[in-house]
Amino acid sequence: MPEAQYEDGRAIAPTGGGGAMDLATAEGETLEKAPAAPPGPGRAGRPRSLWSDAWHDLRRNPVFVVAALVILFLVVISIWPQLIASGNPLDCDLAKAQQGSQPGHPFGFDGQGCDVYTRTVYGARTSVTVGVCATLGVALLGSVLGGLAGFFGRAPDALLSRLTDVFFAIPVVLGGLVLLSVVTSNTVWPVIGFMVLLGWPQVSRIARGSVISVKQNDYVQAARALGASSTRLLLRHVMPNAVAPVIVVATIALGTYISLEATLSYLGVGLRPPTVSWGIDISAASPYVRNAPHMLLWPAGALAVTVLAFIMLGDAVRDALDPKLR
């Protein structure tokens, strides 16, 4: 059937019901209703990377959310303890020694008459500082040594393996008793240095194994075949894809270093007065645990909550970054 036309030349297609349809209009409506490209898992249909996928899972993990909120609170009071504690942790009154809770002093007083609440709040600064600095030092030193040994192999790998065997043979607490007993400084740096000295072998072995696994992938071999230097291969292709296990171990180890600092301070070889530390307060409260249990309860409880929060955070990060657990 021939097509009818408007005076301006536009075609009209006849329909089965005796009507007509404007082809230009129909074509415009068809173009406007063309289906869009199917949405992908990421922005613009692109798949998410390992890190964006891990962050997507972490945000929906209640364990991570609770642990992150606790750690955020600890970091805030470590930087600004005056927000929730207006007193001075070194102001003591022997007349109030071992007394319980009073108005304005909810945690009572310790054996020297110091406010337990104020000392507990200020003790978070020391523990968080030691844990974060020791973890960063261990992660950096262990990643560099382990990454270089795993990438180049042969003599560097053999040397690192024998060196880590020596450090693994040293008990941590015994090593702290021997090395820190000759240190007279009251700062946190000798304790941090000791933790870095004995903590890097674990991270180095993990980094070494991860680098050995990654450098055998096809994209690394292709970059090597295209003439990429060893430095470029290590920094651009190997380490970014091998760092995930190191991050997981370092996050879990952070809580361990906080508890290790408290243990060494309890034994008298870590931090020393007048430094405010949970380990020092626990050590001072131990002889009076029967008569004044509040002296031990609050610093020990704060230490337990802090270590638990970092361990929970590390477990959540491990689950998010491990593809085998998906």
Short mmCIF file of all heavy atoms in Angstrom, two decimals, residues 218-276:
data_model
loop_
_atom_site.label_atom_id
_atom_site.label_comp_id
_atom_site.label_asym_id
_atom_site.label_seq_id
_atom_site.Cartn_x
_atom_site.Cartn_y
_atom_site.Cartn_z
N ASP A 218 50.84 -13.43 35.03
CA ASP A 218 51.08 -13.14 33.61
C ASP A 218 51.36 -11.66 33.36
O ASP A 218 52.18 -11.31 32.51
CB ASP A 218 49.88 -13.59 32.78
CG ASP A 218 49.71 -15.10 32.79
OD1 ASP A 218 50.71 -15.79 33.06
OD2 ASP A 218 48.58 -15.58 32.53
N TYR A 219 50.66 -10.76 34.07
CA TYR A 219 50.87 -9.34 33.80
C TYR A 219 52.26 -8.89 34.20
O TYR A 219 52.82 -7.97 33.60
CB TYR A 219 49.80 -8.49 34.49
CG TYR A 219 49.75 -8.63 35.99
CD1 TYR A 219 50.55 -7.83 36.80
CD2 TYR A 219 48.89 -9.53 36.60
CE1 TYR A 219 50.50 -7.94 38.18
CE2 TYR A 219 48.83 -9.64 37.97
CZ TYR A 219 49.64 -8.85 38.77
OH TYR A 219 49.58 -8.97 40.13
N VAL A 220 52.86 -9.52 35.22
CA VAL A 220 54.24 -9.19 35.58
C VAL A 220 55.20 -9.71 34.53
O VAL A 220 56.14 -9.01 34.12
CB VAL A 220 54.57 -9.77 36.97
CG1 VAL A 220 56.03 -9.47 37.34
CG2 VAL A 220 53.65 -9.20 38.03
N GLN A 221 54.96 -10.93 34.04
CA GLN A 221 55.82 -11.48 33.00
C GLN A 221 55.70 -10.68 31.70
O GLN A 221 56.68 -10.49 30.99
CB GLN A 221 55.45 -12.95 32.76
CG GLN A 221 55.59 -13.83 33.98
CD GLN A 221 57.00 -13.86 34.54
OE1 GLN A 221 57.98 -13.76 33.79
NE2 GLN A 221 57.13 -13.97 35.85
N ALA A 222 54.49 -10.19 31.41
CA ALA A 222 54.31 -9.38 30.20
C ALA A 222 55.05 -8.06 30.32
O ALA A 222 55.69 -7.60 29.37
CB ALA A 222 52.82 -9.14 29.95
N ALA A 223 54.99 -7.43 31.49
CA ALA A 223 55.73 -6.18 31.69
C ALA A 223 57.23 -6.41 31.62
O ALA A 223 57.97 -5.57 31.07
CB ALA A 223 55.35 -5.57 33.04
N ARG A 224 57.69 -7.53 32.12
CA ARG A 224 59.12 -7.84 32.02
C ARG A 224 59.53 -8.05 30.57
O ARG A 224 60.60 -7.61 30.14
CB ARG A 224 59.44 -9.09 32.86
CG ARG A 224 60.93 -9.37 32.98
CD ARG A 224 61.14 -10.74 33.63
NE ARG A 224 60.54 -10.82 34.93
CZ ARG A 224 61.14 -10.44 36.06
NH1 ARG A 224 62.36 -9.93 36.00
NH2 ARG A 224 60.53 -10.56 37.22
N ALA A 225 58.67 -8.74 29.80
CA ALA A 225 58.98 -8.97 28.39
C ALA A 225 59.00 -7.67 27.59
O ALA A 225 59.73 -7.57 26.59
CB ALA A 225 57.97 -9.94 27.79
N LEU A 226 58.22 -6.68 28.02
CA LEU A 226 58.20 -5.39 27.32
C LEU A 226 59.37 -4.50 27.71
O LEU A 226 59.47 -3.38 27.22
CB LEU A 226 56.89 -4.67 27.61
CG LEU A 226 55.63 -5.30 26.99
CD1 LEU A 226 54.39 -4.58 27.46
CD2 LEU A 226 55.72 -5.29 25.46
N GLY A 227 60.23 -4.98 28.60
CA GLY A 227 61.44 -4.24 28.93
C GLY A 227 61.35 -3.41 30.20
O GLY A 227 62.22 -2.56 30.42
N ALA A 228 60.35 -3.65 31.06
CA ALA A 228 60.25 -2.90 32.30
C ALA A 228 61.41 -3.24 33.23
O ALA A 228 61.82 -4.40 33.33
CB ALA A 228 58.92 -3.19 32.99
N SER A 229 61.94 -2.24 33.90
CA SER A 229 63.06 -2.45 34.82
C SER A 229 62.59 -3.15 36.09
O SER A 229 61.39 -3.21 36.39
CB SER A 229 63.71 -1.12 35.17
OG SER A 229 62.79 -0.28 35.85
N SER A 230 63.54 -3.64 36.85
CA SER A 230 63.19 -4.33 38.10
C SER A 230 62.53 -3.38 39.09
O SER A 230 61.59 -3.76 39.81
CB SER A 230 64.45 -4.94 38.72
OG SER A 230 65.02 -5.91 37.87
N THR A 231 63.00 -2.14 39.12
CA THR A 231 62.39 -1.17 40.02
C THR A 231 60.95 -0.89 39.64
O THR A 231 60.07 -0.84 40.52
CB THR A 231 63.19 0.15 40.00
OG1 THR A 231 64.56 -0.12 40.34
CG2 THR A 231 62.60 1.15 40.97
N ARG A 232 60.68 -0.74 38.36
CA ARG A 232 59.31 -0.49 37.92
C ARG A 232 58.43 -1.71 38.18
O ARG A 232 57.28 -1.57 38.61
CB ARG A 232 59.30 -0.14 36.44
CG ARG A 232 57.90 0.18 35.90
CD ARG A 232 57.94 0.56 34.44
NE ARG A 232 56.60 0.81 33.93
CZ ARG A 232 55.96 1.97 34.05
NH1 ARG A 232 56.54 2.98 34.67
NH2 ARG A 232 54.75 2.13 33.56
N LEU A 233 58.96 -2.88 37.92
CA LEU A 233 58.17 -4.09 38.18
C LEU A 233 57.81 -4.19 39.65
O LEU A 233 56.67 -4.53 40.01
CB LEU A 233 58.97 -5.33 37.75
CG LEU A 233 59.10 -5.60 36.25
CD1 LEU A 233 60.02 -6.78 36.01
CD2 LEU A 233 57.74 -5.85 35.62
N LEU A 234 58.78 -3.90 40.52
CA LEU A 234 58.54 -4.06 41.95
C LEU A 234 57.58 -3.01 42.49
O LEU A 234 56.67 -3.33 43.28
CB LEU A 234 59.87 -3.99 42.69
CG LEU A 234 59.86 -4.28 44.20
CD1 LEU A 234 59.36 -5.69 44.45
CD2 LEU A 234 61.24 -4.09 44.78
N LEU A 235 57.74 -1.76 42.05
CA LEU A 235 56.95 -0.67 42.61
C LEU A 235 55.58 -0.53 41.95
O LEU A 235 54.62 -0.11 42.61
CB LEU A 235 57.71 0.66 42.48
CG LEU A 235 59.04 0.74 43.25
CD1 LEU A 235 59.68 2.10 43.03
CD2 LEU A 235 58.83 0.48 44.74
N ARG A 236 55.47 -0.83 40.67
CA ARG A 236 54.23 -0.59 39.94
C ARG A 236 53.36 -1.82 39.78
O ARG A 236 52.13 -1.70 39.67
CB ARG A 236 54.55 -0.02 38.55
CG ARG A 236 55.21 1.34 38.55
CD ARG A 236 54.26 2.41 39.05
NE ARG A 236 53.08 2.48 38.21
CZ ARG A 236 52.99 3.19 37.09
NH1 ARG A 236 54.03 3.89 36.68
NH2 ARG A 236 51.86 3.21 36.40
N HIS A 237 53.95 -3.00 39.77
CA HIS A 237 53.17 -4.20 39.45
C HIS A 237 53.13 -5.21 40.60
O HIS A 237 52.11 -5.86 40.81
CB HIS A 237 53.74 -4.88 38.20
CG HIS A 237 53.72 -4.02 36.98
ND1 HIS A 237 52.58 -3.75 36.27
CD2 HIS A 237 54.72 -3.34 36.35
CE1 HIS A 237 52.86 -2.95 35.25
NE2 HIS A 237 54.16 -2.68 35.27
N VAL A 238 54.23 -5.37 41.32
CA VAL A 238 54.30 -6.44 42.32
C VAL A 238 53.80 -5.96 43.69
O VAL A 238 52.86 -6.53 44.25
CB VAL A 238 55.74 -6.98 42.42
CG1 VAL A 238 55.83 -8.03 43.54
CG2 VAL A 238 56.17 -7.60 41.10
N MET A 239 54.42 -4.92 44.24
CA MET A 239 54.08 -4.50 45.60
C MET A 239 52.63 -4.05 45.76
O MET A 239 51.99 -4.42 46.76
CB MET A 239 55.03 -3.38 46.05
CG MET A 239 56.45 -3.86 46.28
SD MET A 239 56.57 -5.21 47.48
CE MET A 239 55.98 -4.43 48.97
N PRO A 240 52.04 -3.28 44.84
CA PRO A 240 50.63 -2.91 45.03
C PRO A 240 49.68 -4.11 45.11
O PRO A 240 48.64 -4.02 45.75
CB PRO A 240 50.32 -2.04 43.81
CG PRO A 240 51.64 -1.48 43.40
CD PRO A 240 52.63 -2.57 43.67
N ASN A 241 50.05 -5.20 44.47
CA ASN A 241 49.20 -6.39 44.49
C ASN A 241 49.61 -7.40 45.55
O ASN A 241 48.93 -8.42 45.71
CB ASN A 241 49.25 -7.07 43.11
CG ASN A 241 48.65 -6.22 42.02
OD1 ASN A 241 47.45 -6.10 41.89
ND2 ASN A 241 49.52 -5.59 41.22
N ALA A 242 50.71 -7.13 46.24
CA ALA A 242 51.17 -8.05 47.28
C ALA A 242 51.04 -7.48 48.67
O ALA A 242 51.39 -8.14 49.65
CB ALA A 242 52.63 -8.44 47.01
N VAL A 243 50.54 -6.25 48.81
CA VAL A 243 50.53 -5.58 50.10
C VAL A 243 49.32 -5.95 50.95
O VAL A 243 49.34 -5.71 52.18
CB VAL A 243 50.58 -4.06 49.89
CG1 VAL A 243 49.25 -3.53 49.38
CG2 VAL A 243 51.01 -3.33 51.15
N ALA A 244 48.30 -6.55 50.37
CA ALA A 244 47.08 -6.84 51.14
C ALA A 244 47.34 -7.75 52.35
O ALA A 244 46.87 -7.46 53.46
CB ALA A 244 46.02 -7.44 50.23
N PRO A 245 48.07 -8.88 52.21
CA PRO A 245 48.33 -9.70 53.41
C PRO A 245 49.10 -8.96 54.49
O PRO A 245 48.89 -9.20 55.68
CB PRO A 245 49.13 -10.88 52.84
CG PRO A 245 48.79 -10.93 51.40
CD PRO A 245 48.59 -9.51 50.99
N VAL A 246 49.99 -8.06 54.10
CA VAL A 246 50.76 -7.29 55.08
C VAL A 246 49.84 -6.37 55.87
O VAL A 246 49.98 -6.22 57.09
CB VAL A 246 51.88 -6.49 54.38
CG1 VAL A 246 52.60 -5.60 55.37
CG2 VAL A 246 52.85 -7.44 53.70
N ILE A 247 48.89 -5.74 55.19
CA ILE A 247 47.95 -4.85 55.87
C ILE A 247 47.11 -5.62 56.88
O ILE A 247 46.86 -5.17 58.00
CB ILE A 247 47.06 -4.15 54.84
CG1 ILE A 247 47.89 -3.20 53.99
CG2 ILE A 247 45.92 -3.39 55.52
CD1 ILE A 247 47.11 -2.51 52.89
N VAL A 248 46.67 -6.81 56.50
CA VAL A 248 45.86 -7.63 57.41
C VAL A 248 46.65 -8.00 58.66
O VAL A 248 46.18 -7.84 59.79
CB VAL A 248 45.36 -8.88 56.67
CG1 VAL A 248 44.67 -9.83 57.65
CG2 VAL A 248 44.42 -8.50 55.54
N VAL A 249 47.86 -8.50 58.47
CA VAL A 249 48.68 -8.91 59.61
C VAL A 249 49.04 -7.72 60.49
O VAL A 249 49.01 -7.81 61.73
CB VAL A 249 49.95 -9.63 59.11
CG1 VAL A 249 50.90 -9.91 60.26
CG2 VAL A 249 49.58 -10.92 58.40
N ALA A 250 49.36 -6.59 59.88
CA ALA A 250 49.71 -5.41 60.66
C ALA A 250 48.53 -4.90 61.48
O ALA A 250 48.70 -4.47 62.62
CB ALA A 250 50.23 -4.31 59.73
N THR A 251 47.33 -4.96 60.91
CA THR A 251 46.15 -4.49 61.65
C THR A 251 45.88 -5.36 62.87
O THR A 251 45.56 -4.86 63.96
CB THR A 251 44.93 -4.50 60.72
OG1 THR A 251 45.22 -3.75 59.54
CG2 THR A 251 43.74 -3.88 61.42
N ILE A 252 46.02 -6.67 62.71
CA ILE A 252 45.81 -7.57 63.85
C ILE A 252 46.94 -7.41 64.86
O ILE A 252 46.71 -7.44 66.08
CB ILE A 252 45.71 -9.02 63.36
CG1 ILE A 252 44.49 -9.19 62.44
CG2 ILE A 252 45.61 -9.99 64.53
CD1 ILE A 252 44.36 -10.57 61.83
N ALA A 253 48.17 -7.23 64.38
CA ALA A 253 49.32 -7.11 65.28
C ALA A 253 49.29 -5.83 66.10
O ALA A 253 49.94 -5.76 67.15
CB ALA A 253 50.62 -7.19 64.49
N LEU A 254 48.57 -4.81 65.66
CA LEU A 254 48.53 -3.55 66.39
C LEU A 254 47.99 -3.76 67.81
O LEU A 254 48.55 -3.23 68.78
CB LEU A 254 47.68 -2.54 65.63
CG LEU A 254 47.91 -1.06 65.94
CD1 LEU A 254 47.48 -0.20 64.76
CD2 LEU A 254 47.17 -0.61 67.18
N GLY A 255 46.93 -4.54 67.93
CA GLY A 255 46.41 -4.85 69.27
C GLY A 255 47.40 -5.65 70.08
O GLY A 255 47.51 -5.47 71.31
N THR A 256 48.16 -6.53 69.42
CA THR A 256 49.17 -7.32 70.13
C THR A 256 50.27 -6.43 70.69
O THR A 256 50.75 -6.64 71.82
CB THR A 256 49.76 -8.36 69.18
OG1 THR A 256 48.72 -9.17 68.64
CG2 THR A 256 50.75 -9.24 69.91
N TYR A 257 50.69 -5.42 69.94
CA TYR A 257 51.74 -4.52 70.42
C TYR A 257 51.25 -3.67 71.60
O TYR A 257 52.04 -3.36 72.51
CB TYR A 257 52.21 -3.63 69.29
CG TYR A 257 52.92 -4.38 68.19
CD1 TYR A 257 52.69 -4.10 66.85
CD2 TYR A 257 53.83 -5.40 68.50
CE1 TYR A 257 53.34 -4.81 65.85
CE2 TYR A 257 54.47 -6.11 67.51
CZ TYR A 257 54.22 -5.81 66.18
OH TYR A 257 54.86 -6.52 65.20
N ILE A 258 49.98 -3.31 71.61
CA ILE A 258 49.44 -2.57 72.74
C ILE A 258 49.47 -3.43 74.00
O ILE A 258 49.87 -2.97 75.08
CB ILE A 258 48.01 -2.09 72.43
CG1 ILE A 258 48.04 -1.01 71.33
CG2 ILE A 258 47.33 -1.54 73.68
CD1 ILE A 258 46.67 -0.53 70.91
N SER A 259 49.07 -4.68 73.88
CA SER A 259 49.12 -5.57 75.04
C SER A 259 50.56 -5.88 75.44
O SER A 259 50.85 -6.06 76.63
CB SER A 259 48.36 -6.87 74.73
OG SER A 259 48.98 -7.57 73.66
N LEU A 260 51.48 -5.95 74.47
CA LEU A 260 52.89 -6.19 74.81
C LEU A 260 53.47 -5.02 75.58
O LEU A 260 54.24 -5.22 76.54
CB LEU A 260 53.69 -6.43 73.52
CG LEU A 260 55.19 -6.66 73.70
CD1 LEU A 260 55.46 -7.87 74.58
CD2 LEU A 260 55.86 -6.84 72.34
N GLU A 261 53.12 -3.80 75.21
CA GLU A 261 53.59 -2.63 75.96
C GLU A 261 53.08 -2.68 77.40
O GLU A 261 53.83 -2.38 78.34
CB GLU A 261 53.11 -1.35 75.27
CG GLU A 261 53.48 -0.07 75.98
CD GLU A 261 52.45 0.35 77.02
OE1 GLU A 261 51.24 0.21 76.73
OE2 GLU A 261 52.85 0.79 78.12
N ALA A 262 51.81 -3.05 77.57
CA ALA A 262 51.26 -3.15 78.92
C ALA A 262 51.97 -4.26 79.72
O ALA A 262 52.22 -4.10 80.92
CB ALA A 262 49.76 -3.41 78.86
N THR A 263 52.30 -5.35 79.06
CA THR A 263 52.99 -6.45 79.74
C THR A 263 54.37 -6.03 80.19
O THR A 263 54.78 -6.29 81.34
CB THR A 263 53.08 -7.67 78.81
OG1 THR A 263 51.78 -8.08 78.42
CG2 THR A 263 53.79 -8.83 79.49
N LEU A 264 55.12 -5.39 79.30
CA LEU A 264 56.47 -4.95 79.66
C LEU A 264 56.43 -3.88 80.75
O LEU A 264 57.28 -3.87 81.66
CB LEU A 264 57.19 -4.42 78.42
CG LEU A 264 57.46 -5.44 77.32
CD1 LEU A 264 58.07 -4.76 76.10
CD2 LEU A 264 58.39 -6.54 77.82
N SER A 265 55.46 -2.98 80.69
CA SER A 265 55.33 -1.96 81.74
C SER A 265 54.93 -2.61 83.06
O SER A 265 55.38 -2.17 84.14
CB SER A 265 54.29 -0.91 81.33
OG SER A 265 54.69 -0.24 80.14
N TYR A 266 54.10 -3.63 83.01
CA TYR A 266 53.71 -4.35 84.23
C TYR A 266 54.93 -5.02 84.88
O TYR A 266 55.06 -5.05 86.12
CB TYR A 266 52.66 -5.39 83.89
CG TYR A 266 52.21 -6.22 85.06
CD1 TYR A 266 51.19 -5.78 85.90
CD2 TYR A 266 52.79 -7.46 85.32
CE1 TYR A 266 50.78 -6.54 86.99
CE2 TYR A 266 52.38 -8.23 86.40
CZ TYR A 266 51.37 -7.77 87.23
OH TYR A 266 50.96 -8.52 88.30
N LEU A 267 55.83 -5.53 84.04
CA LEU A 267 57.02 -6.19 84.56
C LEU A 267 58.10 -5.21 84.99
O LEU A 267 59.12 -5.61 85.55
CB LEU A 267 57.59 -7.14 83.51
CG LEU A 267 56.68 -8.32 83.13
CD1 LEU A 267 57.31 -9.12 81.99
CD2 LEU A 267 56.45 -9.23 84.34
N GLY A 268 57.90 -3.92 84.71
CA GLY A 268 58.83 -2.90 85.16
C GLY A 268 59.96 -2.58 84.21
O GLY A 268 60.87 -1.83 84.57
N VAL A 269 59.93 -3.11 82.98
CA VAL A 269 61.01 -2.84 82.02
C VAL A 269 60.52 -2.03 80.83
O VAL A 269 61.31 -1.68 79.96
CB VAL A 269 61.64 -4.16 81.52
CG1 VAL A 269 62.31 -4.90 82.67
CG2 VAL A 269 60.61 -5.04 80.84
N GLY A 270 59.24 -1.74 80.78
CA GLY A 270 58.70 -0.94 79.68
C GLY A 270 58.71 0.53 80.02
O GLY A 270 59.76 1.12 80.30
N LEU A 271 57.55 1.12 80.04
CA LEU A 271 57.42 2.52 80.44
C LEU A 271 57.50 2.63 81.96
O LEU A 271 57.09 1.71 82.68
CB LEU A 271 56.10 3.09 79.93
CG LEU A 271 55.91 3.03 78.40
CD1 LEU A 271 54.54 3.56 78.03
CD2 LEU A 271 57.00 3.78 77.68
N ARG A 272 57.98 3.75 82.41
CA ARG A 272 58.16 3.96 83.84
C ARG A 272 57.51 5.26 84.26
O ARG A 272 57.37 6.18 83.44
CB ARG A 272 59.66 3.98 84.19
CG ARG A 272 60.39 2.67 83.87
CD ARG A 272 61.89 2.80 84.18
NE ARG A 272 62.59 1.54 83.95
CZ ARG A 272 63.10 1.17 82.80
NH1 ARG A 272 62.98 1.96 81.75
NH2 ARG A 272 63.73 0.01 82.67
N PRO A 273 57.10 5.35 85.53
CA PRO A 273 56.54 6.62 86.03
C PRO A 273 57.56 7.73 85.85
O PRO A 273 58.77 7.49 85.90
CB PRO A 273 56.26 6.33 87.50
CG PRO A 273 56.16 4.83 87.57
CD PRO A 273 57.10 4.30 86.55
N PRO A 274 57.13 8.97 85.63
CA PRO A 274 55.74 9.47 85.71
C PRO A 274 54.90 9.29 84.44
O PRO A 274 53.84 9.89 84.33
CB PRO A 274 55.95 10.95 86.01
CG PRO A 274 57.20 11.29 85.29
CD PRO A 274 58.08 10.07 85.41
N THR A 275 55.37 8.50 83.47
CA THR A 275 54.57 8.25 82.28
C THR A 275 53.26 7.57 82.68
O THR A 275 53.25 6.66 83.51
CB THR A 275 55.35 7.36 81.30
OG1 THR A 275 56.59 7.98 80.99
CG2 THR A 275 54.55 7.15 80.02
N VAL A 276 52.17 8.01 82.08
CA VAL A 276 50.85 7.43 82.37
C VAL A 276 50.60 6.30 81.39
O VAL A 276 50.58 6.51 80.17
CB VAL A 276 49.74 8.50 82.26
CG1 VAL A 276 48.39 7.88 82.59
CG2 VAL A 276 50.05 9.66 83.20
#
